[in-house]
Amino acid sequence: MTIGLSDEDRELRDSVRGWAARYATPAVIREADEAKAEARPEYWASLAELGMLGLHLPEEVGGAGFTLLETAIVAEELGRAMVPGPFLPTVVVSAVLNAAGHTAELEGLVDGSTFGAVALQPGTLALAQAEGATTLSGTSSLVLGGQVGDLFLLAATDAAGDRVFVVVPRDRLTVTDLPSHDVIRRNAEVTVDGLALADGEVLALDAQRVLDIAATLFAAEASGLADWATTTAADYARVRKQFGRVIGQFQGVKHKVARMFGRTEQARVTAWDAARALGEEVPAEEASLAAAVAASVALDAAFQVSKDCIQVLGGIGYTWEHDAHLYLRRAQSLRILLGSTGSWQQRVAELTLAGARRVLTVELPAEAERIRADVRAELEPAKAKTGADRTTYLAEKGYTSPHLPAPWGKSADAVTQLVIAEELAAADVKPHDMIIGNWVIPTLIAHGNAEQLDRFVPGSLRGDIVWCQLFSEPGAGSDLASLSTKATKVEGGWKLNGQKVWTSMARDAHWGICLARTDADVPKHKGLSYFLVDIRNSEGLDIRPLREITGEALFNEVFIDDLFVPDDCLVGEPGDGWKLARTTLANERVSMTGGSSLGDGGEALVALADTLPGGIDAHQLTVLGQILCDAQSGGIMGLRTTLRSLAGSQPGAESSVAKLLGVEHIQQTWEVAMEWAGPSSLLGDQERTSATQMFLNSQCMSIAGGTTNVQLNIIGERILGLPRDPEPGK
């Protein structure tokens, strides 16, 4: 895993990882730990020779002319390896000076002859005017890298009480080494009394820009810390035995490590987005919002995951000899030095309430314009049509599901799908949404016979055939392979008997897809078959509505009693049901969420905050910021998945984590919205779009489509390689 996405990003990651393995050995890290004070690393020249200190700086000062993203990748890797030395404060100083237009000091920071040091909180340092000169007096807050730093970037307050930054060489300061919580990269403090500052030593750069740069690079390093902690915990959980079993089999451990992975992924994607934003030509508020999200998410993630790592390691994690405490100390130090998580969450909320939004878009290749012209011309006639005529036209032209192979779709690759989505929106035309049919039709195309394709696919694409899904049973929800509905072979077809539950649209559907057991003598997932059931014209179906906690009855239970299904409604061969139920086409659907990256719930909560009597208080502001951070990270995960598709790559870890985090985000959003709405939310007969109804409805989201516990098992087992429980339920 890495912050970056491209092949070049991964090559950079591998290069830094290889360098760190050679130079930041366990012995080197322990020497730094045991030393009484931080020393200048002997390998610093090697890091400079590789160009790692100046990736984000212009070529005329010895840099590589890249962006902050490449430096963030390096920071992540060096953080993962706990490399001693002031890389982080040095690149923060050089990035800030470059943004401020100070070039004189950059060459030394690039070639390794100058070390940077940073204090982001003012302490008691303050500027004053004396005899026409600007002076600096007081004591700084903790200075990161201060024990070895040569050039100090220090926060102070001006006469108005606002934060400003000054940059001063070490030889003009009184620097005192301090015992440090982080025993690998240590802190100092600076004391000055009436120091007259030279021209340019008070930076004209906005203080918030300085903080945003620092937040981005701090978040990148935090991502590396979190990744180490998660990987270490997972590796240990795969081999450590207790009570006669590997501890990774215990659901409590598996789920903890899976949640660690989710937090780590959030850290990674938000740091990536912040680094991109600071290198893009976007409004200052948008870039600052991205940095604030990264500061809110990544540093807290590293801290929490480091604590969880020690918990998974158990006693060995509590020893000084294990590196886990070094990562905990580093993560906690970053979090405190940058400023509290709550303060950054409040900034996210404040920027959003003021109208700032992070626009998540993709840059399509040149070929997209040729595709766009063809699509636009083909959609022009649809604009003049209405109702069923428009829907039929779009279906016949392949727009209902463009990713499907021709003639049912357009065999659209990722670029074409995104262009089509943009042009459909621009033309204000919407193809039919098949809902359950979106799962049925790809399965029929992949496994159905010619007669089934002709019979069901065109009508489904037009909306003439509505589908429901008869899968879940009272005794087989998440464990679908345990279903007991039985299909018995009879003359000309099959007789089905059993009960299905949680079947949405059963009273509206024309046809249903039904999994039933055709062979009880083989392993449970191999004895299932996939049937097409005529809902409206079959005897033996008793459909009963199930009233949900919302008061509505969208779900149904379906009792199946000697239901006859002809042979031509069996898809594939008997026993193929499990394989068919899991079918996806190689050419997957690609989408890019339109509208706000905060989602409908996030925007609704922002709108509600503006109506709170007396305004939003500090606690509510913090909660809002946290929720908006989760919304933003979910949007970024979707963007990264889309970018992988455009590059022809398989989905990354983002897609596996997105559902888990997205569901919990939505549930929290509407819970908070209901709380903020106050007593009025407790009135009965609420509108379907009210906070109350949305809160109640959202409770199903952690159950439907795979429960949260199942999602955690999938992340733990398929991504992190934790072992399955050989005796589930025991």
Side-chain angles (χ1 to χ4, degrees), residues 652-667:
E654 301 96 350
S655 59
S656 299
V657 174
K659 182 180 187 297
L660 171 69
L661 299 181
V663 164
E664 294 179 347
H665 158 68
I666 292 171
Q667 289 177 335

Side-chain angles (χ1 to χ4, degrees), residues 38 116-118 143-149 152 170 175 177 186-188:
E38 187 172 353
V118 176
V143 183
L144 180 66
Q147 294 196 8
V148 293
F152 284 64
R170 184 187 189 96
V175 181
D177 291 351
R186 308 189 190 198
N187 304 313

Side-chain angles (χ1 to χ4, degrees), residues 149-152 168-175 192 195 201:
D150 301 303
L151 190 62
F152 284 64
V168 184
R170 184 187 189 96
D171 59 12
R172 302 184 64 217
L173 303 169
T174 300
V175 181
V192 289
L195 175 67
E201 288 187 333

